Amino acid sequence: MLLDELKKANLQAMKDKDKDARSVLSVVLTKCQLLIVEANASGKPFEDPQVLEVIQKVLKELSDEKEGYSKVGNAERVASIAHQEEVIKAYLPKQLTREEIIEEINKLEDKSMPSVMKHFKANFAGKVDMSLVSQIARGL
């Protein structure tokens, strides 16, 4: 399970004294633990697709944070965040390209925004950037 891989990587980062990797992996693991508690309370299983969602949300947060630091000229912090992004991107499956997204949208009968978003969320969870799908769907 992906969660086990993240725990091992976190332990290895601790041994390697890699503060950036350790901090981002800890954030992902903590968010997953909170979702596991919620899932257990509702009787639902917690599986890899939920872990991928957490990773994508953390990547989005890091991207926003990096943008803020680059605006104020803090190059050291930008480099640190870039390293954190690389660490957790390694756990994401290969993402669909822009062309693959367009091709998939063209296959759909109903190309309305809600239908397209629902299709990608159901069939490509963790394998596609939903903001990119939205942007492409609006442009078609």
Side-chain angles (χ1 to χ4, degrees), residues 50 73 99 122 130:
Q50 290 93 334
E99 291 75 28
M130 293 304 287

Side-chain angles (χ1 to χ4, degrees), residues 1-139:
M1 186 173 192
L2 185 56
L3 195 59
D4 295 330
E5 290 180 40
L6 290 167
K7 287 177 182 177
K8 287 178 187 171
N10 190 30
L11 191 60
Q12 189 60 47
M14 199 181 323
K15 289 177 183 176
D16 296 342
K17 295 183 178 23
D18 185 346
K19 290 191 297 190
D20 292 333
R22 171 105 169 82
S23 74
V24 75
L25 290 167
S26 294
V27 167
V28 170
L29 289 170
T30 301
K31 290 181 182 229
C32 286
Q33 283 302 124
L34 292 171
L35 291 175
I36 289 170
V37 169
E38 288 177 21
N40 288 341
S42 65
K44 296 178 182 173
F46 184 80
E47 297 173 342
D48 284 353
Q50 290 93 334
V51 176
L52 292 173
E53 285 178 25
V54 169
I55 291 173
Q56 288 177 324
K57 286 179 184 176
V58 170
L59 274 171
K60 174 81 171 101
E61 291 168 4
L62 286 172
S63 175
D64 294 344
E65 188 178 345
K66 185 168 74 172
E67 189 177 308
Y69 279 114
S70 62
K71 284 181 183 176
V72 296
N74 189 339
E76 184 179 313
R77 191 69 188 122
V78 169
S80 171
I81 293 170
H83 175 59
Q84 291 177 345
E85 287 175 330
E86 290 306 311
V87 167
I88 60 173
K89 277 183 184 176
Y91 296 96
L92 289 175
K94 180 186 172 292
Q95 300 289 296
L96 292 179
T97 64
R98 184 176 200 88
E99 291 75 28
E100 291 170 325
I101 293 170
I102 292 170
E103 185 179 309
E104 191 65 31
I105 291 172
N106 288 333
K107 290 180 189 174
L108 298 175
E109 286 181 33
D110 181 7
K111 293 180 177 61
S112 67
M113 183 63 82
S115 175
V116 169
M117 297 306 282
K118 188 175 184 181
H119 173 76
F120 277 91
K121 188 163 183 137
N123 298 306
F124 299 99
K127 296 178 184 171
V128 67
D129 178 359
M130 293 304 287
S131 63
L132 181 60
V133 171
S134 173
Q135 180 185 21
I136 292 170
R138 277 192 226 111

